């Protein structure tokens, strides 16, 4: 008081100045990460001409041409033929006609997107499923050479998975797993399971053994105790791990290019090579990218509550 | 309910032996305390009885049945953990019902039984709350509820009051004992708090480094400790030990320490020359001026209803006396100390065991009479 220092604020809480500064930093960072995203979404609604105009257009008249081109294939026709057709039904047909084209049929986007969904969620399920069981075993049982095994599991992540692409390619060709969904599910699960074991072991270590022991003296087998007591307690960890696994499998590009070409091709290798007339169809690529973001966004938002708690590893206990 | 018989139970973790050759019986309906310092193997013993740990050797009987290697879930023993182990993802009701659900009991009966248990423990009002919001005392009750709702053959409790604060612990002590009397449930209760054990137990086993040092009723353990460890562990302040070296003939009733002749109950056998400890509890030390066993007052602690006086004897040992607040003593006073033969326990220092005296021939049940006769 004698020095005129304000004692009104708490010494452990940040001051309003600090808060303001932190807010600005966060806002700047958000801006930097959001601009490319916003650009992609905008491009999806541009016409091909607007998309490649220079200087880039920030204000433009929106069009769904990109989305139409993403979902359909079109063929060019003579003006006489187009004039002879009955009036266009549907927006996409209309847009096509304006460019002297007709919609020939659906594109491969939906099957590729479906592949992505099946492969990403399938492999996430497998890696988290195996991961949680292995993590439980490592956490609770005397496993011979436990530390060496855990190190070995981690060591599979010490090089980029693509470094072993050639042996895997040859192996998959022999086994008939090339360009199959099963092959991709197994591959992504194999890569993710090491991460899952390590993450989940941390979470399960935090759950006191007494919970299972209480269930076991109360008449449950170990497996039942695991299901009814350990799994619900580990939800946070399972969710956090699932999101990491899903993001990896969903975005994986290198293996997808190498091992899938038709039947089992996922969206990442498909989207960037959508070709329009006379070059890349950027609005269609941007539209595909926008849609590609949606599932992860939904998944993450739905599980956000668990994720925020789970991401602060180790601090799971309230 | 059933009796529990533990025979030559042994448990080793790698090189370390946690429980050595334990043998005891918990009678049907008895409240049995395993008491000992931290790390002495209490929890390990309890976990073996419950089936959460398998013994290295030895046998455990529940009633007539040998359950030594039976799965925990098949033993019909309830366990109350120190940290309660209530499932945070379930409500109080679900927690209490959890053991019944495993038995496939019909829903209506589960409701009935849960309501009954809740009533017994006065937690009916909180049945539909989540356990995470409860105070530790209420959690304690819910944990007990989960144990009693099963009506098991026996209860195992591992320091169930350890997480409570002192004041509440005393209330729960009384509640637990009352609950036990109502259910007359065979209970094995682990604690390192001698006051808890003394106030609740029918029988106490004192453990030290994996070994049961003495087994008996609280009074027996307090008044007739079998070993130096037990004598030292029980009572606060703990027993005084005055060391000396002497030989005693059978029937001897005094022990020479310096110039003083200290009284004893008649020793039952000849004792060859050896190091002895003359053990007497602080409350049995009396300050008198005419005794030749002299000591100097070095400290006085006033405790309200009594005072603890710390003295240094001429021979250099420290003795503490618990005396009335009316006794005047000040630092530096020279006083004489007297002891009653009946209150003295003599120990062999090398083995740590008590030397049998005539006092041990009087059955414990008559001790009360003896005290009454004195008073
Ligand atoms: N799983 C185990 N592996 C190795 N050593 C163990 C294991 N469990 C217990 N011990 C050891 O056995 C000894 C006895 O442990 P126990 O838990 O029975 O002690 P306690 O009497 O219950 O002690 P406290 O009062 O601290 O709970 C301890 O020294 C402990 O370190
Ligand atoms: Mg213990």
């Amino acid at each position: 008081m004698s020095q005129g220092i304000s004692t009104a604020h708490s010494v452990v809480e940040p001051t309003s100045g600090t808060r303001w500064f932190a807010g600005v930093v966060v806002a700047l960072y958000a801006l930097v990460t959001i601009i490319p995203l916003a650009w992609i979404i905008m491009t999806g609604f541009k016409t091909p001409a607007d998309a490649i105009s220079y200087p880039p257009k920030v204000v433009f008249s929106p069009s769904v041409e990109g989305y139409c081109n993403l979902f359909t294939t079109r063929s060019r026709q003579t003006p006489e033929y187009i004039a002879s057709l009955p009036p266009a039904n549907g927006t996409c047909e209309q847009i096509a006609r304006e460019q002297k084209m007709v919609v020939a049929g659906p594109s491969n986007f939906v099957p590729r997107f479906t592949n992505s969904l099946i492969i990403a969620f399938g492999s996430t399920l497998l890696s988290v499923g195996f991961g949680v069981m292995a993590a439980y075993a490592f956490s609770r049982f005397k496993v011979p050479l436990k530390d060496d095994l855990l190190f070995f599991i981690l060591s599979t992540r010490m090089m980029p998975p693509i470094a072993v692409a050639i042996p895997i390619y040859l192996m998959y060709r022999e086994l008939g797993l090339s360009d199959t969904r099963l092959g991709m599910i197994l591959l992504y699960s194999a890569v993710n399971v090491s991460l899952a074991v390590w993450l989940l072991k941390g979470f399960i270590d935090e759950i006191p053994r007494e919970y299972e022991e209480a269930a076991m003296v109360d008449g449950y087998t170990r497996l039942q105790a695991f299901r009814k007591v350990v799994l619900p307690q580990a939800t946070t960890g399972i969710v956090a791990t699932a999101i990491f696994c899903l993001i990896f499998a969903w975005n994986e590009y290198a293996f997808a290019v190498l091992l899938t070409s038709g039947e089992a091709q996922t969206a990442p290798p498909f989207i960037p090579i959508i070709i329009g007339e006379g070059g890349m169809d950027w609005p269609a690529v941007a539209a595909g990218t926008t849609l590609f973001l949606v599932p992860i966004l939904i998944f993450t938002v739905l599980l956000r509550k668990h994720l925020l708690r789970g991401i602060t590893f180790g601090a799971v206990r309230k | 309910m059933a009796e529990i018989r533990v025979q030559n139970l042994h448990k080793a973790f790698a090189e370390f032996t946690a429980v050595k050759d334990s043998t005891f019986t918990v009678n049907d309906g008895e409240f049995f305390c395993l008491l000992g310092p931290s790390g002495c193997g209490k929890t390990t013993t309890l976990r073996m009885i419950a089936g959460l740990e398998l013994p290295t050797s030895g046998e455990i009987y529940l009633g007539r049945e040998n359950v030594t290697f039976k799965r925990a879930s098949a033993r019909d023993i309830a366990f109350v953990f120190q940290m309660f182990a209530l499932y945070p993802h379930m409500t109080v009701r679900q927690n209490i019902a959890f053991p019944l659900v495993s038995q496939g009991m019909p829903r209506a009966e589960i409701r009935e039984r849960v309501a009954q248990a809740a009533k017994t423990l006065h937690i009916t009002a909180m049945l539909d709350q989540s356990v995470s919001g409860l105070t530790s005392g209420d959690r304690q009750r819910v944990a007990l509820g989960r144990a009693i709702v099963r009506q098991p053959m026996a209860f195992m409790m591992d320091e169930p009051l350890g997480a409570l604060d002192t004041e509440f612990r005393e209330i729960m002590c009384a509640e637990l004992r009352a609950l036990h009397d109502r259910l007359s449930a065979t209970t094995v209760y682990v604690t390192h708090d001698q006051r808890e054990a003394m106030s609740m137990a029918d029988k106490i086993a004192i453990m030290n480094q994996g070994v049961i040092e003495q087994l008996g009723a609280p009074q027996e353990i307090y008044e007739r400790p079998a070993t130096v460890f037990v004598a030292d562990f029980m009572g606060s302040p703990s027993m005084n030990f005055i060391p000396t070296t002497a030989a005693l003939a059978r029937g001897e009733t005094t022990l020479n320490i310096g110039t003083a002749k200290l009284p004893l109950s008649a020793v039952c056998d000849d004792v060859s020359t050896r190091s002895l400890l003359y053990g007497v509890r602080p409350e049995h030390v009396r300050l008198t001026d005419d005794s030749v066993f002299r000591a100097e007052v070095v400290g006085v602690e006033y405790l309200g209803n009594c005072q603890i006086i710390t003295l240094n004897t001429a021979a250099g040992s420290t003795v503490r006396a618990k005396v009335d607040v009316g006794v005047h003593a000040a630092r530096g006073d020279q006083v004489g100390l007297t002891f009653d033969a009946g209150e003295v326990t003599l120990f062999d220092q090398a083995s740590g065991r008590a030397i049998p005296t005539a006092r041990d021939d009087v059955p414990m049940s008559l001790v009360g009479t003896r005290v009454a006769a004195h008073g």
Side-chain angles (χ1 to χ4, degrees):
Chain A
M1 233 177 294
S2 53
Q3 275 135 51
I5 294 169
S6 155
T7 53
H9 69 277
S10 151
V11 284
V12 289
E13 293 284 313
T15 62
S16 62
T18 327
R19 271 179 217 272
W20 188 84
F21 178 71
V24 168
V25 171
V26 169
L28 274 177
Y29 180 70
L31 202 67
V32 168
T33 52
I34 282 170
I35 284 175
L37 202 61
W39 197 257
I40 292 273
I41 294 169
M42 272 159 56
T43 307
F45 290 101
K46 287 179 180 173
T47 61
D50 281 345
I52 55 170
S53 76
Y54 190 83
K57 286 194 177 174
V58 179
V59 182
F60 58 93
S61 59
S63 140
V64 292
E65 189 176 343
Y67 285 85
C68 286
N69 292 356
L70 178 66
F71 282 101
T72 61
T73 55
R74 299 152 308 279
S75 59
R76 182 163 289 283
Q77 301 293 344
T78 57
E80 297 75 37
Y81 174 73
I82 286 173
S84 72
L85 290 174
N89 62 340
T91 326
C92 286
E93 183 72 35
Q94 187 129 28
I95 293 173
R97 296 251 179 113
E98 283 162 14
Q99 294 163 10
K100 306 286 177 281
M101 295 201 278
V102 292
V103 171
S107 74
N108 271 336
F109 180 70
V110 174
R112 299 301 182 253
F113 197 81
T114 313
N115 282 342
S116 261
L117 285 176
I118 292 172
I119 291 168
F121 280 91
S123 75
T124 300
L125 205 70
L126 270 191
S127 26
V128 173
F130 283 123
V132 77
M133 285 190 275
Y136 180 74
F138 276 122
S139 171
R140 296 297 200 256
F141 298 118
K142 276 207 194 74
V143 180
L145 299 177
K146 183 192 275 189
D147 293 344
D148 301 296
L149 279 176
L150 278 169
F151 180 77
F152 169 72
I153 289 173
L154 186 67
S155 70
T156 61
R157 292 301 290 259
M158 287 180 185
M159 55 185 172
I162 199 67
V164 290
I166 291 173
I168 286 176
Y169 177 75
L170 295 174
M171 201 164 74
Y172 266 43
R173 216 177 44 183
E174 282 303 306
L175 294 171
L177 287 171
S178 280
D179 203 17
T180 60
R181 288 171 182 167
L182 179 68
M184 296 313 285
I185 290 178
L186 290 178
L187 181 66
Y188 291 163
S189 305
V191 173
N192 272 338
V193 87
S194 61
L195 174 80
V197 170
W198 270 82
L199 286 182
L200 287 165
K201 180 175 179 295
F203 285 102
I204 291 177
D205 282 345
E206 295 271 317
I207 303 171
R209 281 161 186 263
E210 279 86 349
Y211 284 135
E212 295 134 80
E213 290 176 344
M216 282 177 348
V217 293
D218 282 346
Y220 293 89
T221 63
R222 185 176 278 277
L223 205 63
Q224 287 171 323
F226 174 69
R227 208 158 44 83
K228 297 197 172 205
V229 178
V230 178
L231 283 189
Q233 297 285 307
T235 317
T236 296
I238 291 172
V239 167
T241 309
I243 289 177
F244 283 123
C245 290
L246 185 73
I247 288 175
F248 169 81
W250 185 252
N251 292 337
E252 205 288 327
Y253 180 75
F255 276 116
V257 166
L258 186 72
L259 296 176
T260 68
S261 48
E263 279 304 292
Q265 194 183 41
T266 54
F270 172 80
I271 293 172
I273 54 162
I274 302 169
I275 310 285
E277 284 201 317
M280 295 296 302
D281 189 344
W282 291 115
V285 169
T289 308
T290 307
L291 293 181
F292 186 70
L293 294 174
V294 172
I296 292 276
L297 199 68
I298 294 176
F299 192 70
T300 313
V301 167
L302 283 182
L303 301 173
R304 185 182 47 192
K305 190 183 78 186
H306 291 292
L307 187 63
L308 282 181
R309 257 194 296 150
I311 217 107
T312 53
F313 302 108
V316 227
R317 306 273 95 204
K318 62 208 148 251
Chain B
M1 291 299 141
E3 74 165 23
I4 300 166
R5 222 148 34 86
V6 170
Q7 261 167 16
N8 306 101
L9 200 61
H10 204 86
K11 177 71 188 183
F13 294 109
E15 276 103 74
F16 180 79
T17 307
V19 176
K20 283 181 207 137
D21 207 26
S22 254
T23 300
F24 59 86
T25 300
V26 184
N27 294 325
D28 193 358
E30 196 166 56
F31 197 111
F32 185 92
C33 263
L34 280 170
L35 175 62
S38 192
C40 69
K42 308 178 295 283
T43 300
T44 308
T45 305
L46 202 69
R47 288 168 59 87
M48 286 192 284
I49 300 175
L52 294 173
E53 205 89 66
L54 293 180
T56 312
S57 65
E59 271 148 28
I60 300 163
Y61 291 87
L62 185 61
R64 288 199 204 310
E65 195 189 358
N66 183 339
V67 296
T68 316
F69 294 107
K70 238 178 144 180
R71 273 192 296 134
S73 54
R75 287 196 193 192
D76 199 15
I77 288 176
F79 204 111
V80 180
F81 292 86
Q82 173 164 10
M83 43 76 76
F84 311 144
L86 300 179
Y87 312 118
H89 58 292
M90 299 184 194
T91 62
V92 170
R93 183 189 300 282
Q94 286 167 328
N95 263 283
I96 298 179
F98 195 65
L100 301 181
V101 173
S102 77
Q103 302 171 4
M105 186 180 279
R107 272 174 175 225
E109 198 179 338
I110 292 182
R111 269 195 97 78
E112 176 70 22
R113 291 267 284 268
V114 171
Q116 190 65 38
K119 208 172 125 211
T120 309
L121 294 159
H122 313 293
I123 50 174
T124 310
M126 57 187 86
L127 271 181
D128 293 306
Q129 285 178 24
S130 136
V131 294
S132 45
L134 300 183
T135 64
S136 54
D138 287 338
R139 283 175 195 223
Q140 174 63 60
R141 289 201 177 86
V142 176
L144 283 173
R146 195 170 66 189
I148 67 170
V149 77
R150 289 172 52 185
Q151 304 172 356
M153 302 258 260
F155 291 102
M156 304 290 121
M157 302 192 187
D158 191 0
E159 308 206 22
L161 308 183
L164 308 184
D165 53 40
T166 328
E167 186 188 355
F168 199 73
R169 198 182 302 183
E170 275 170 26
I171 301 173
M172 277 313 288
C173 255
E175 269 186 40
L176 253 182
R177 180 65 219 203
L179 185 69
H180 173 263
D181 291 343
R182 210 160 349 134
L183 303 173
S184 53
T186 310
T187 303
V188 183
Y189 184 101
V190 162
T191 178
H192 62 249
D193 180 347
Q194 46 161 313
R195 295 208 355 245
E196 257 175 49
M198 295 282 266
S199 64
M200 283 196 275
D202 295 317
K203 206 195 274 172
I204 297 178
I206 307 273
M207 285 190 75
N208 181 29
Q209 297 183 349
V211 177
I212 295 188
E213 296 250 344
Q214 191 175 2
L215 202 64
Q219 196 185 7
E220 193 177 337
I221 286 190
Y222 188 77
E223 295 189 8
R224 294 182 185 174
T227 65
V228 174
F229 174 81
V230 174
D232 191 41
F233 187 74
M234 299 301 287
S236 166
S238 59
M239 190 181 256
N240 296 302
F241 299 104
I242 304 167
T244 185
T245 303
L248 297 169
R250 183 174 169 195
E252 186 68 64
T253 55
T254 57
L255 177 67
N256 293 327
I257 297 183
T259 53
K261 272 189 183 313
L262 301 184
L264 282 178
S265 293
V267 289
C268 296
D269 274 307
D270 289 344
V271 177
S272 56
T273 309
R274 64 185 69 186
S275 298
L276 298 171
L277 293 172
Y278 184 87
V280 60
R281 294 217 174 267
E283 60 269 34
H284 298 141
V285 176
R286 271 173 290 128
L287 274 54
T288 43
D289 282 332
D290 50 3
S291 169
V292 290
F293 190 71
R294 308 299 297 179
E296 181 188 340
V297 176
V298 293
V300 179
E301 288 169 66
Y302 174 75
L303 295 179
N305 55 356
C306 66
Q307 50 184 341
I308 309 290
I309 297 179
T310 309
L311 306 120
N312 274 351
T313 66
S317 54
T318 303
V319 171
R320 284 198 284 183
K322 187 172 176 180
V323 298
D324 275 349
V325 286
V327 174
H328 288 291
R331 279 179 67 114
D333 285 359
Q334 295 288 335
V335 294
L337 303 179
T338 54
F339 313 105
D340 250 340
E343 318 282 17
V344 169
T345 314
L346 196 63
F347 297 95
D348 177 340
Q349 193 167 14
S351 69
R353 305 207 67 83
I355 291 168
T357 62
R359 186 188 68 160
D360 300 324
D361 298 337
V362 184
M364 207 59 209
S365 54
L366 297 180
V367 170
T369 333
R370 183 177 60 85
V371 171
H374 269 255

